Amino acid sequence: MTAHLVRRIAAPVVTSALSLGLLGAAQPSSSAQSAARWTAAWGASPQLPSTGFTPNWSQEGFSRQSVRQVVRVTGAGERVRIRLSNAYGTSPLGVTGATIARTAKGRDAAVEPGSVRHLTFSGKRSVEIPARGELRSDAAPLPLKRLESVTVTLYLAGTTGPATFHAQGWTDTYRADGDHRADASGAAFTDTTQSWYYLTGVEVGGDRPRRKDGIVLFGDSITDSFGSTPNTDRRYSDALAERTGRPVVNQGIGGNLVLNDSAWYGERATARFGRDALDQPGVSTVVVLEGLNDIGFSEAKDQPTYKPSPVVSAAELVAGYRELIRAAHAEGLRIVGSTLLPLKGSDHWGPHAAKVSEEVNHWIRTSGEFDAYADFDKALADPADADRLHPAYDHGDALHPNDAGYRLMAKTVADVL
């Protein structure tokens, strides 16, 4: 495995107070039995603070404010812990306190009365996360069902500076002045965006070893489910969790590339794969859908967010896929490849993209190097023109699926798992 893929966080020892797990620090080893008690039930890949496509608070950060974030877990458990990231912070991040609670009916900033749990970090309510660091909380007793929504609230009394975040959450995140981490009411949370801040994972656990059957969806804006209806949990990952009954973690980043880093679109896939895909407890399978931006940005002459855009060959893209395959297999994980969706008519379409997407899809179908493949290219193609996304599945830009398209993607993956 190449060095830049090995950016791992050892799972903390599961005791009455879980040990801190920090990037770049020596880690306590976990027993196989205790590690098997945790399953990643929700996730979001961290990104560098940036302007993004929609308004967000990442560049301004927070000061004496509470941030309340709603996520839906795809696994059940008797206890829960969260994962926080300061991966792109240039100074330590002080978290004054954090809570987790069941989300109130109605899906706004309110939580169920009596369900609020104060989270601790090595037994303390406050914690400092070093620059470029990351940690998991201690376990909190909060029984959760599959597909139940939980609300995580962080109180940040100090001035954070620019915030590590995930740009496109497709659900509302709330902000309030002052300390409102324990509020059952959402009345104080008057500001909203649709990004996530510092929160990169929710994991569920129990007293007995758990079946290792989780799925990581790893990719770009299509995996991130650009175009899905906000605040309705209609992402590709949600649809797959509903269809399979297995825990599913979405590690897509809009605009992400296999081979190159971007200020807006995250570290390249080969650089973030270890952190975002391999370091997820309870996972057995990774599904990769990535490459459209590598071949399409050079065709998108009017897009200003990624310049210069290198012209990428099929051979270069295949080399990137092989790096991911080797890394997954080294961890004993099954890796499923996905053909690139039809893109004719989009701003990513042009002679080079048409040629390379055909070559790449042929390799995915015929090489046998992935353990299996999901043929999105065929499943979502327009019968009248196989190079185009079917109108029934098109969000409107000839590139991203709509809710129905994401459901069909989930079915296509479920059929090969």
Side-chain angles (χ1 to χ4, degrees):
M1 191 186 306
T2 55
H4 63 262
L5 283 170
V6 190
R7 300 183 55 209
R8 306 292 305 283
I9 303 166
V13 176
V14 182
T15 62
S16 58
L18 300 176
S19 300
L20 229 60
L22 298 176
L23 280 171
Q27 302 301 316
S29 61
S30 299
S31 70
Q33 184 180 18
S34 63
R37 292 174 179 163
W38 289 98
T39 297
W42 175 86
S45 297
Q47 294 177 243
L48 188 75
S50 65
T51 302
F53 290 108
T54 57
N56 69 73
W57 305 318
S58 68
Q59 291 179 317
E60 63 186 274
F62 305 94
S63 182
R64 298 183 297 279
Q65 292 171 315
S66 299
V67 184
R68 181 160 280 188
Q69 308 181 71
V70 180
V71 304
R72 185 166 79 151
V73 296
T74 57
E78 293 78 47
R79 55 181 62 94
V80 64
R81 67 186 185 185
I82 67 170
R83 184 167 173 170
L84 299 176
S85 176
N86 191 28
Y88 302 105
T90 57
S91 60
L93 169 67
V95 179
T96 312
T99 60
I100 190 166
R102 294 190 185 88
T103 306
K105 304 299 183 195
R107 191 62 183 272
D108 58 13
V111 301
E112 286 188 9
S115 71
V116 175
R117 304 289 187 269
H118 285 271
L119 295 168
T120 59
F121 305 86
S122 291
K124 299 178 180 179
R125 287 192 178 183
S126 295
V127 70
E128 185 175 271
I129 309 174
R132 295 171 294 281
E134 179 169 310
L135 60 79
R136 290 178 168 100
S137 73
D138 301 339
L142 183 66
L144 296 173
K145 300 175 182 177
R146 285 190 63 253
L147 308 181
E148 184 172 7
S149 291
V150 296
T151 297
V152 175
T153 307
L154 307 177
Y155 176 51
L156 306 161
T159 299
T160 66
T164 296
F165 85 132
H166 182 86
Q168 295 177 317
W170 309 111
T171 193
D172 289 338
T173 285
Y174 307 89
R175 182 177 66 179
D177 291 331
D179 183 1
H180 296 278
R181 64 188 129 157
D183 290 12
S185 167
F189 293 89
T190 55
D191 298 332
T192 64
T193 71
Q194 290 196 343
S195 299
W196 286 308
Y197 304 89
Y198 302 119
L199 182 66
T200 58
V202 176
E203 299 168 1
V204 294
D207 294 325
R208 298 180 180 179
R210 306 168 67 86
R211 180 181 176 188
K212 188 175 180 180
D213 64 349
I215 302 164
V216 170
L217 301 182
F218 184 85
D220 51 34
S221 59
I222 296 176
T223 295
D224 211 15
S225 301
F226 180 97
S228 63
T229 303
N231 294 313
T232 61
D233 295 319
R234 294 182 182 175
R235 306 169 192 85
Y236 158 42
S237 49
D238 292 303
L240 185 63
E242 292 165 4
R243 177 172 285 274
T244 63
R246 294 167 61 175
V248 179
V249 178
N250 189 322
Q251 298 291 60
I253 296 179
N256 198 230
L257 300 107
V258 175
L259 302 174
N260 290 286
D261 299 333
S262 166
W264 275 30
Y265 307 134
E267 294 179 64
R268 64 195 180 278
T270 53
R272 70 183 184 91
F273 192 64
R275 177 194 67 200
D276 294 348
L278 304 184
D279 189 38
Q280 302 296 329
V283 164
S284 65
T285 304
V286 181
V287 181
V288 174
L289 171 60
E290 193 143 15
L292 278 175
N293 295 318
D294 293 77
I295 65 175
F297 277 165
S298 62
E299 303 279 14
K301 306 302 182 187
D302 296 327
Q303 71 87 19
T305 61
Y306 183 67
K307 296 291 184 182
S309 303
V311 177
V312 173
S313 69
E316 290 172 317
L317 203 48
V318 166
Y321 293 148
R322 284 175 169 151
E323 197 167 345
L324 302 183
I325 292 168
R326 287 193 297 270
H329 287 168
E331 296 294 324
L333 300 181
R334 186 168 185 252
I335 184 166
V336 176
S338 306
T339 57
L340 304 180
L341 277 68
L343 70 162
K344 186 177 180 180
S346 75
D347 66 351
H348 282 39
W349 176 258
H352 177 74
K355 175 178 179 291
V356 174
S357 63
E358 183 176 347
E359 294 171 347
V360 167
N361 285 348
H362 177 75
W363 179 84
I364 291 171
R365 292 182 182 115
T366 62
S367 70
E369 296 194 38
F370 284 108
D371 297 310
Y373 70 91
D375 204 337
F376 295 146
D377 178 46
K378 289 185 177 178
L380 279 78
D382 185 346
D385 185 347
D387 290 327
R388 288 184 179 273
L389 197 60
H390 195 300
Y393 306 128
D394 184 1
H395 166 65
D397 60 2
L399 185 65
H400 296 95
N402 55 19
D403 293 349
Y406 288 125
R407 287 195 298 271
L408 181 55
M409 286 175 59
K411 179 183 183 302
T412 304
V413 170
D415 288 345
V416 301
L417 289 177

